[in-house]
Amino acid sequence: MEKVNQTSSVSEFILLGLSSRPEDQKPLFILFLTIYLVTITGNLLIILAIYSDPQLQTRMYFFLSFLSFTDICFTTTIVPRMLVDFLSKKTISYAGCLTQMYFIYALGNSDSFLLAVMAFDRYVAICDPFHYVTTMSHHRCVLLVAFSCSFPHFHSFLHTLLLNHLIFCDSNVIHHFLCDIGPLLKLSCSSTFVNEIVIMIEGSVVLVTPFLFIAFSYVLILIAVLKIPSAAGKRKAFSTCGSHLTVVTLFYGSIFYVYLQPLSTYTVRDHIATIVYTVLSSMLNPFIYSLRNKDLKRGLRKLMGKK
């Protein structure tokens, strides 16, 4: 880190944020503070409901609790920084910028891997129910969560390390509300060829592989569900997967829109899609998972002391 600062004239970056108009800053502050509080409260309630209700201590809710915890951490990496920028000077140190980028990629990819694990859990529950308990043993579930939460850190460290070797000697203005790799590469005055190759190959594999795993799991689930003779059985199977599919669509749809395009085409129009997968998806997840889930709604009512 220090080595780069000695060869670079840039010691801090300016985040332009969502709007440069002074009259927009307070309304945006109130909006995102509300979103942040709802996100923290919603996901914390999901975690507390799961661990306080013995009937919710199953494999599926075990994974959901870690997804909620990761969402809390993911949002906390982004929104508090945005709130500060809305009301004060929009600057972030060089080290602070790389640190934020590191945790955004580590936690965002942890979300991605956890969604893939949850798809596998639904696949085993529906397609191979007689072996579900042995296939999804507690030991294996812990290993799956450990991998989902640790492997993305290696991915994030690689890209942060490569970015740290670049030289920034001209503009320090980031046309974004967070430190993302696309806008940062645009600011570099040294060659970004290695960075772009690694993003194209390793980054695409890490991003697309969990999605393909989810898609393949749900194709098999769909085939199995269509073979269920009773309409009630089909509805029950689809209801257990509907919430997860909604979250997957929201999360991956916005991510693919932002990242599966050439870095040179990265523009301000990607801000909305970035907000969807970094902020809105974390806020909506508790509502999506509890909306059609009677067990989870019962657990939440029990937690809040309601009959």
Side-chain angles (χ1 to χ4, degrees):
M1 194 78 69
E2 294 299 325
K3 180 181 178 180
V4 174
N5 284 325
Q6 291 173 3
T7 58
S8 173
S9 62
V10 173
S11 60
E12 64 179 18
F13 294 101
I14 299 173
L15 292 165
L16 289 186
L18 296 174
S19 174
S20 58
R21 297 167 57 187
E23 62 269 26
D24 292 339
Q25 304 309 305
K26 285 187 178 179
L28 285 171
F29 175 86
I30 295 171
L31 173 62
F32 280 91
L33 176 61
T34 303
I35 290 174
Y36 182 62
L37 293 176
V38 171
T39 301
I40 298 299
T41 304
N43 283 287
L44 193 58
L45 284 174
I46 293 290
I47 295 170
L48 293 175
I50 290 171
Y51 285 97
S52 64
D53 189 345
Q55 294 183 1
L56 292 179
Q57 291 176 18
T58 63
R59 278 78 167 169
M60 180 175 72
Y61 295 113
F62 174 74
F63 296 133
L64 179 57
S65 66
F66 276 94
L67 182 69
S68 293
F69 177 73
T70 304
D71 280 340
I72 290 174
C73 297
F74 190 31
T75 307
T76 301
T77 303
I78 300 165
V79 179
R81 176 75 243 180
M82 293 176 68
L83 296 177
V84 171
D85 291 341
F86 287 139
L87 300 182
S88 62
K89 191 177 179 182
K90 302 175 183 291
T91 59
I92 184 170
S93 68
Y94 179 89
C97 190
L98 263 64
T99 301
Q100 186 191 53
M101 193 195 81
Y102 172 87
F103 283 106
I104 286 174
Y105 282 104
L107 295 169
N109 281 288
S110 291
D111 255 9
S112 178
F113 278 83
L114 284 170
L115 288 172
V117 168
M118 293 172 74
F120 177 69
D121 174 72
R122 290 300 83 206
Y123 159 73
V124 177
I126 294 172
C127 299
D128 193 17
F130 296 110
H131 296 94
Y132 179 74
V133 175
T134 53
T135 303
M136 301 301 294
S137 64
H138 179 72
H139 178 69
R140 188 164 293 166
C141 289
V142 170
L143 288 178
L144 286 170
V145 168
F147 175 80
S148 298
C149 295
S150 59
F151 177 76
H153 283 272
F154 294 102
H155 161 78
S156 185
F157 180 75
L158 172 63
H159 290 280
T160 305
L161 186 65
L162 290 173
L163 191 70
N164 191 44
H165 281 79
L166 298 180
I167 297 174
F168 300 91
C169 54
D170 191 8
S171 174
N172 67 335
V173 178
I174 300 175
H175 294 270
H176 213 324
F177 60 86
L178 50 76
C179 291
D180 202 357
I181 198 163
L184 283 169
L185 289 181
K186 280 188 172 183
L187 295 181
S188 174
C189 52
S190 57
S191 175
T192 60
F193 177 75
V194 175
N195 302 71
E196 294 185 29
I197 290 296
V198 173
I199 290 170
M200 186 184 306
I201 300 172
E202 189 271 347
S204 297
V205 170
V206 172
L207 179 64
V208 176
T209 300
F211 175 76
L212 292 178
F213 189 85
I214 293 169
F216 183 66
S217 296
Y218 274 102
V219 168
L220 296 177
I221 289 172
L222 179 62
I223 294 171
V225 169
L226 292 176
K227 292 179 181 178
I228 298 175
S230 67
K234 290 180 180 178
R235 282 197 300 271
K236 183 178 180 180
F238 279 126
S239 66
T240 61
C241 299
S243 300
H244 186 248
L245 275 175
T246 303
V247 172
V248 167
T249 302
L250 185 69
F251 185 75
Y252 280 103
S254 53
I255 283 182
F256 287 163
Y257 178 82
V258 173
Y259 293 106
L260 292 188
Q261 59 176 316
L263 291 173
S264 58
T265 64
Y266 200 98
T267 64
V268 178
R269 290 175 298 179
D270 298 315
H271 286 184
I272 295 176
T274 304
I275 289 174
V276 170
Y277 83 84
T278 58
V279 180
L280 291 184
S281 64
S282 296
M283 182 190 72
L284 294 175
N285 282 357
F287 297 99
I288 294 171
Y289 279 110
S290 62
L291 190 62
R292 298 175 60 187
N293 191 313
K294 293 180 181 179
D295 293 334
L296 194 52
K297 283 193 285 189
R298 188 203 66 251
L300 288 168
R301 284 195 297 267
K302 183 179 177 181
L303 177 68
M304 300 175 72
K306 295 182 179 180
K307 293 183 181 179

